[in-house]
């Protein structure tokens, strides 16, 4: 039986009535109705093609045939929960284990990055027998209540900061406390974590964990300064806590040179807990927490069973295995390295041409271009960024913004993104910036209401 379809206006009208208003659409003023996808492309109801520059969930490409075949084949054979013995979950755990440091040898499978981070919080608190958590400013770790509590990006919009949550400065060398001219920004930012720990101890409290994204995304596509994670982990462990690294946005080879972004810190570096999600299932809900044997044993010692109905089911694990196969067989890490370097170089050329481009940063296919109204003051050009996003939509290119001021154009495309795609995007951004700066006094920010901000998740 064919699924029911509606005209775009009818779809939008029905969605407005029956879907919660907090579930925002991309391009809220004029949403795009997408009906199919393939590779790095999306197609609307009129078969108009859009280039997807933000589809980091569809890691190996929309509707990759190898992944689709694996899902269909296992669906026809068996899909049940993990209380039955089955090979897929073991095979998948072994494949993941081969990509991680030896110490991270125990896995729990779940359905989303939010579930993974929630479990990581429980693991850290159980293992350390402490409650308090340190997080980075502007961080976002998921949409469960426990994670809103440790996500400054969210809790500052809501009820505020809990007594057991402590915020360390975001290690942003472009506009943070310590910038690119500092001789040792990694240690300087890690010392701010030590300062938070000392303050917590002065109040008679104890740290359970530092939660940190390997590359803070919502914070503005931030590249952590070298040495930061190593020194911060040292301080946290000395205080009796553990380091939880959130790879939900950045894992599975997105940085190109390494399978996990935290590995850029060096071969000797190893977190205590790693969470992963989004790209694992290429659009299928699949997530995981990897941890040391000691942490896993402390969690099991409670005697309380951890049961997740769908986490690690045979279909999910078959899909996860297929994603790993595609990454390897199609050399997507190599592609991320090559195409990402080319895209970054092209964006840097735009920086030399357009004063509004304040900074270009990133690694592999995780890149950000920060727009400013004044390079000396580094004043966020939020409205210009929104205009660029909307202009590119008119060119059938999907980009988005991030950062505390929503002035960072972010690039996290499917890993099959090509050099030709990169060249097209930068060409269109060049035209857009030239036109915008020709009509807007960039040095004088316009009222926010003048340029409707595109809605992105």
């Amino acid at each position: 039986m064919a699924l029911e379809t509606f005209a775009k206006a009818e779809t939008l009208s029905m969605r407005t009535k029956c879907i919660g208003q907090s579930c925002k659409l991309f391009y809220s003023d004029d949403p795009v109705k997408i009906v199919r996808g393939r590779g790095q492309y999306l197609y609307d109801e009129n078969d108009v093609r859009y280039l997807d520059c933000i589809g980091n969930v569809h890691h190996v490409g929309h509707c990759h045939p190898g992944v689709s075949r694996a899902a269909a084949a296992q669906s026809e054979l068996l899909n049940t929960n993990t209380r039955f013995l089955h090979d897929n979950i073991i095979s998948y755990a072994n494949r993941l284990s081969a990509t991680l440091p030896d110490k991270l040898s125990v896995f729990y499978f779940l359905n989303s990055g939010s579930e993974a981070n929630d479990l990581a919080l429980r693991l850290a608190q159980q293992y350390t027998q402490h409650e308090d958590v340190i997080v980075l400013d502007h961080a976002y770790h998921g949409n469960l209540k426990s994670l809103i509590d440790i996500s400054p990006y969210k809790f500052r919009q809501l009820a505020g900061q809990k007594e057991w949550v402590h915020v360390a400065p975001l290690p942003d060398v472009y506009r943070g406390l310590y910038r690119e001219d500092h001789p040792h920004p990694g240690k300087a930012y890690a010392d701010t974590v030590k300062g938070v720990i000392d303050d917590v101890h002065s109040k008679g409290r104890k740290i359970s964990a530092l939660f940190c994204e390997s590359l803070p995304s919502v914070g503005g596509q931030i590249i952590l300064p070298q040495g930061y994670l190593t020194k911060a982990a040292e301080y946290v462990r000395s205080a009796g806590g553990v380091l939880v690294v959130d790879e939900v946005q950045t894992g599975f080879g997105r940085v190109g040179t390494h399978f996990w972004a935290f590995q850029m810190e060096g071969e000797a570096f190893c977190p205590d807990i790693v969470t992963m999600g989004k790209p694992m299932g290429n659009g299928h809900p699949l997530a995981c927490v990897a941890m040391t044997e000691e942490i896993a044993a402390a969690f099991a010692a409670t005697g309380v069973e951890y049961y997740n109905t769908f986490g690690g089911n045979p279909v999910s694990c078959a899909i996860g295995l297929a994603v790993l196969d595609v990454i390897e067989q199609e050399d997507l890490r190599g592609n991320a390295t090559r195409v990402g370097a080319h895209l970054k170089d092209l964006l840097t050329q735009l920086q030399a041409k357009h004063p509004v481009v304040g900074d270009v940063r990133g690694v592999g296919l995780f890149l950000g271009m920060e727009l400013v109204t004044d390079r000396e003051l580094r004043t966020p050009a939020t409205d210009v960024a929104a205009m660029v996003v909307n202009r590119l939509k008119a060119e059938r290119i999907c980009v988005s913004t991030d950062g505390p001021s929503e002035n960072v154009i972010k690039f996290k495309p499917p890993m099959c993104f090509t050099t030709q795609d990169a060249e097209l995007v930068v060409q269109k951004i060049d035209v857009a910036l030239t036109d915008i700066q020709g009509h807007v006094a960039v040095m004088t920010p316009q009222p926010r209401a003048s340029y409707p901000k595109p809605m992105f998740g």
Side-chain angles (χ1 to χ4, degrees):
M1 180 179 176
L3 294 175
E4 201 171 4
T5 59
F6 307 96
K8 176 181 172 180
E10 188 177 2
T11 302
L12 180 58
S13 176
M14 293 172 65
R15 179 186 170 105
T16 302
K17 292 177 182 178
C18 63
I19 303 299
Q21 294 182 11
S22 295
C23 298
K24 303 296 185 181
L25 286 165
F26 290 170
Y27 311 108
S28 56
D29 289 344
D30 182 23
V32 179
K33 182 176 180 179
I34 298 299
V35 299
R36 67 183 180 94
R38 178 69 69 171
Q40 65 272 49
Y41 300 110
L42 296 166
Y43 298 83
D44 70 11
E45 74 279 14
N46 297 313
D47 211 35
V48 174
R49 190 179 78 176
Y50 288 77
L51 177 62
D52 183 3
C53 299
I54 52 177
N56 63 321
V57 175
H58 302 90
H59 192 62
V60 301
H62 293 276
C63 303
H64 191 285
V67 177
S68 298
R69 284 194 298 268
Q74 185 60 54
S75 293
E76 291 185 351
L77 187 63
L78 173 72
N79 195 28
T80 186
N81 64 58
T82 52
R83 283 181 172 174
F84 290 105
L85 192 62
H86 195 272
D87 288 337
N88 283 10
I89 190 171
I90 302 305
S91 297
Y92 192 35
N94 284 336
R95 289 281 297 276
L96 283 179
S97 181
T99 70
L100 290 160
D102 291 342
K103 286 179 62 178
L104 299 172
S105 59
V106 183
F107 302 85
Y108 280 92
F109 290 101
L110 317 95
N111 307 297
S112 70
S114 290
E115 282 193 359
N117 281 328
D118 177 75
L119 178 57
L121 179 61
R122 291 175 59 190
L123 289 163
Q125 291 175 332
Q126 175 62 34
Y127 177 70
T128 64
Q129 292 295 292
H130 303 152
E131 180 183 23
D132 291 35
V133 173
I134 300 173
V135 293
L136 301 187
D137 207 0
H138 309 299
Y140 176 62
H141 293 290
N143 60 22
L144 299 180
K145 185 180 184 301
S146 63
L147 305 177
I148 298 299
D149 286 345
I150 65 168
S151 298
Y153 169 69
K154 289 293 185 182
F155 71 59
R156 290 204 170 111
Q157 303 174 48
L158 298 168
Q161 187 172 337
K162 297 288 193 270
E163 184 183 17
W164 54 274
V165 177
H166 312 278
V167 180
L170 179 67
D172 180 355
V173 297
Y174 179 67
R175 61 170 62 255
L177 285 174
Y178 307 106
R179 299 188 173 184
E180 65 273 8
D181 57 352
H182 192 283
H184 304 291
K187 183 179 184 304
Y189 275 113
D191 287 345
T192 67
V193 174
K194 177 65 164 58
V196 172
I197 293 171
D198 291 342
D199 183 60
V200 170
H201 286 177
S202 73
K203 298 173 182 175
R205 305 180 70 93
K206 298 290 185 181
I207 294 295
S208 69
L210 166 64
F211 265 72
C212 181
E213 295 168 89
S214 297
L215 302 175
S217 180
V218 171
Q221 303 292 96
I222 303 300
I223 305 301
L224 298 179
Q226 194 67 28
Y228 172 77
L229 285 174
T230 299
K231 198 65 180 175
E234 177 187 323
Y235 289 144
V236 170
R237 288 166 180 159
S238 295
V242 297
L243 175 66
V244 179
V245 166
D246 181 338
E247 287 270 351
V248 171
Q249 295 269 15
T250 55
F252 294 84
R254 178 156 293 279
V255 299
T257 54
H258 299 82
F259 201 87
W260 305 102
F262 74 79
Q263 292 171 328
M264 295 191 299
E265 182 73 359
E267 289 186 11
F269 176 73
C270 179
D272 302 294
I273 300 172
V274 173
T275 62
M276 54 195 85
K278 292 184 186 296
M280 289 185 75
N282 209 53
H284 180 85
L286 177 60
C288 182
V289 183
M291 69 210 73
T292 64
E293 290 184 0
E294 294 80 9
I295 292 174
F299 192 59
T302 64
V304 178
E305 179 189 17
Y306 178 82
Y307 175 61
N308 188 307
T309 302
F310 302 109
N313 69 74
V315 170
S316 293
C317 290
I319 290 170
L321 286 163
V323 169
L324 294 179
D325 287 341
V326 174
I327 291 171
E328 181 178 344
Q329 293 165 5
E330 299 185 6
D331 187 27
L332 293 185
R333 280 180 52 195
N335 188 67
T337 300
R338 293 184 295 271
V339 176
H342 185 54
L343 176 56
K344 187 176 181 181
D345 179 63
L346 293 173
L347 293 173
T348 302
Q349 292 177 36
L350 284 188
Q351 184 181 17
K353 180 177 180 180
H354 298 284
V356 74
V357 181
D359 190 40
V360 173
R361 53 182 176 264
V363 59
L365 287 174
F366 180 94
L367 298 169
M369 180 179 72
E370 181 152 358
L371 303 186
V372 296
T373 61
D374 185 303
R375 281 188 176 178
E376 292 298 316
L377 298 176
R378 305 187 180 187
T379 311
T382 303
D383 297 323
V384 175
M387 293 176 72
V388 170
V389 169
N390 287 321
R391 284 290 300 269
L392 263 64
K393 177 206 172 190
E395 298 289 348
R396 308 297 186 253
I397 298 171
C398 298
V399 297
S400 181
T401 58
D402 246 329
S405 299
E406 293 288 349
N407 67 313
V408 180
I409 306 293
K410 63 179 177 181
F411 302 90
K412 292 183 289 186
M415 296 276 280
C416 52
F417 208 68
T418 68
T419 55
Q420 292 79 13
D421 296 328
E423 290 164 1
L424 174 65
V425 171
V426 174
Q427 176 194 357
K428 297 301 184 181
I429 292 175
D430 185 18
V431 172
L433 289 177
T434 299
D435 187 49
I436 290 168
Q437 291 174 98
H439 292 84
V440 177
V442 175
M443 299 298 290
T444 306
Q446 301 299 308
R448 291 289 299 273
S450 299
Y451 310 111
K453 175 176 170 282
M455 299 304 300
F456 288 94

